Amino acid sequence: MVKLRLKRCGRKQRVIYRIVAIDARSRREGRDLRKVGFYDPIKNQTYSNVSAILYFLEKGAQPTGTVHDISKKAEVFKEFRINQMKLMK
């Protein structure tokens, strides 16, 4: 199963997280399938590759709680629902 989760990067006391698609059995710093964005909690900045996130969500990837909240603020799930409605028509 694929998960969308945060991968810790940066240095001591200056952390930055990458949002990655990764196998659920892998450890936090394990090999990722694809980098789909980043999150800087100090500056409160986020960059998301929305098309990549939507691709993995459509394939059944499960976001972790924090990634879900970040994606919700970026309105990724709104676009996900719009795409699902288009497919149903």
Side-chain angles (χ1 to χ4, degrees):
M1 178 205 274
V2 176
K3 285 203 172 246
L4 295 173
R5 72 164 79 147
L6 296 176
K7 185 175 182 179
R8 187 182 167 117
C9 298
R11 58 180 188 198
K12 200 169 22 171
Q13 302 296 318
R14 184 74 190 117
V15 67
I16 292 177
Y17 294 98
R18 283 192 182 137
I19 302 170
V20 297
I22 194 168
D23 185 33
R25 296 170 291 185
S26 298
R27 58 194 181 98
R28 183 182 69 191
E29 279 85 21
R31 186 162 182 231
D32 51 74
L33 300 172
R34 185 167 176 190
K35 298 174 186 88
V36 294
F38 77 87
Y39 170 61
D40 186 353
I42 295 170
K43 294 181 182 177
N44 202 15
Q45 290 180 333
T46 305
Y47 169 76
S48 300
N49 185 348
V50 177
S51 61
I53 292 174
L54 290 174
Y55 170 78
F56 282 108
L57 288 174
E58 288 171 359
K59 298 294 181 185
Q62 296 294 315
T64 60
T66 308
V67 173
H68 183 271
D69 293 341
I70 292 169
S71 300
K72 199 172 184 182
K73 286 180 185 175
E75 298 182 350
V76 171
F77 293 109
K78 189 175 182 181
E79 292 185 33
F80 181 64
R81 281 191 220 106
I82 291 170
N83 286 348
Q84 291 296 322
M85 296 301 266
K86 286 180 183 176
L87 291 175
M88 297 188 87
K89 288 183 180 181

